[in-house]
Amino acid sequence: MSTDGTALVTGAAGGIGAEVARALARRGTPVAAVDSDADRLRATVDEARSAGLPLTAYPADVRSGAAVRDLVDTVERTLGPIDALVNAAGVLRSGEARTLTEEDWQHTFAVNATGVFHTCRAVADRMVPRRRGTIVTVASNAAGTARAGMSAYGASKAAATAFTKALGLELARYGIRCNVVAPGSTDTPMLAALLPDDAARRSTIGGVPEAYRVGIPLGRIADPADIAAAVLFLISDDARHITMQHLTVDGGATLG
Ligand code: NAD
């Protein structure tokens, strides 16, 4: 990506979103850092700015279409045209399908699927007249591979994946690319909430399918930087002929 455009990154207070935002900023891209957790976002952005990185905080909830439209308007007025959108905001409410509450299901879809719909539409409306831009949605390997206790999460990520690819087809004629990065287990607060103790984390690292019913052939949980590298590649001009694809970054956990 050329460095004259702005990038909008959702979930920028979280493990992966924050790393994507910092990685883009290190390349000189002004980043609109978006998250519903205003306090954590402020801390992330303040730390980055004190290191000289061009991040600006925009607290917003992606569940609201109106709020996202206002957000995109404000970002373009204050930072300039958005050339890249990274959808990293997400929630994981785990539990067996039979006992998951309806509110868990609705909330999961509101953030992970409808949130992506809102941001993509608002940003695409700006990109289309300019015939320029790229979108990356951070989904999950759980979208394509059954994971214990992750029925709502996997279904919502499958929805976000399918939506992002279909959008890519519709926007290809304008030269706008839309791709998906599908991480496996990544060392972030989301994973820490799921695997609270070291023993549980080690059992996954060792490939013993106790916690997830899935092992990691490369023998380690991903670092957020591993995911950010894939996102930055798909945003970059090196990927100029790649659209409607999904790139799995899970150490081989899904075996193909
Ligand atoms: P995280 O919990 O650290 O970060 C997620 C961020 O999204 C948080 O800062 C949270 O405040 C924000 N968010 C939640 N709801 C929001 C809303 N309504 N509006 C705006 N922001 C909201 O988790 P992470 O691991 O960094 O996850 C980043 C993305 O990667 C998520 O989409 C997640 O589903 C996906 N993912 C993570 C893993 C993993 O193992 N960590 C694996 C596969 C996919």
Side-chain angles (χ1 to χ4, degrees):
M1 175 186 160
S2 66
T3 51
D4 45 347
T6 291
L8 189 158
V9 180
T10 72
I16 291 172
E19 189 54 38
V20 168
R22 285 189 292 262
L24 283 164
R26 279 195 288 272
R27 293 188 176 187
T29 301
V31 176
V34 175
D35 205 287
S36 57
D37 186 335
D39 292 342
R40 229 170 115 218
L41 180 66
R42 173 65 54 201
T44 302
V45 166
D46 285 352
E47 193 182 327
R49 288 180 80 94
S50 66
L53 297 176
L55 263 64
T56 307
Y58 295 87
D61 188 330
V62 297
R63 291 176 297 171
S64 163
V68 168
R69 282 192 299 278
D70 286 350
L71 163 75
V72 167
D73 191 47
T74 306
V75 169
E76 292 229 329
R77 263 191 294 107
T78 49
L79 292 186
I82 298 166
D83 271 357
L85 164 66
V86 180
N87 292 303
V91 290
L92 170 55
R93 293 201 176 170
S94 61
E96 298 266 322
R98 285 167 52 240
T99 53
L100 206 66
T101 66
E102 189 163 340
E103 201 272 324
D104 285 334
W105 176 273
Q106 300 286 9
H107 182 71
T108 300
F109 268 76
V111 179
N112 295 357
T114 310
V116 170
F117 168 72
H118 288 150
T119 54
C120 285
R121 287 228 303 199
V123 168
D125 278 349
R126 305 298 178 120
M127 290 177 168
V128 163
R130 298 194 285 260
R131 304 180 81 87
R132 164 187 180 91
T134 179
I135 294 173
V136 176
T137 294
V138 180
S140 170
N141 64 358
T145 301
R147 309 286 293 269
M150 293 202 193
S151 56
Y153 180 75
S156 70
K157 292 295 189 178
T161 298
F163 172 77
T164 303
K165 290 183 178 182
L167 184 69
L169 181 57
E170 294 176 5
L171 299 187
R173 76 188 76 137
Y174 306 106
I176 298 164
R177 301 181 298 104
C178 303
N179 290 292
V180 175
V181 167
S185 300
T186 306
D187 191 7
T188 70
M190 181 181 281
L191 188 74
L194 201 65
L195 291 177
D197 57 68
D198 282 352
R201 293 156 79 96
R202 274 197 303 278
S203 75
T204 306
I205 291 170
V208 181
E210 285 164 4
Y212 278 108
R213 296 178 190 277
V214 68
I216 303 174
L218 282 182
R220 69 175 180 88
I221 285 170
D223 187 87
D226 298 320
I227 313 305
V231 171
L232 260 68
F233 164 66
L234 288 171
I235 287 175
S236 77
D237 288 340
D238 289 342
R240 68 184 183 182
H241 210 47
I242 299 175
T243 192
M244 299 159 56
Q245 298 302 305
H246 84 266
L247 178 53
T248 301
V249 186
D250 69 353
T254 45
L255 304 178

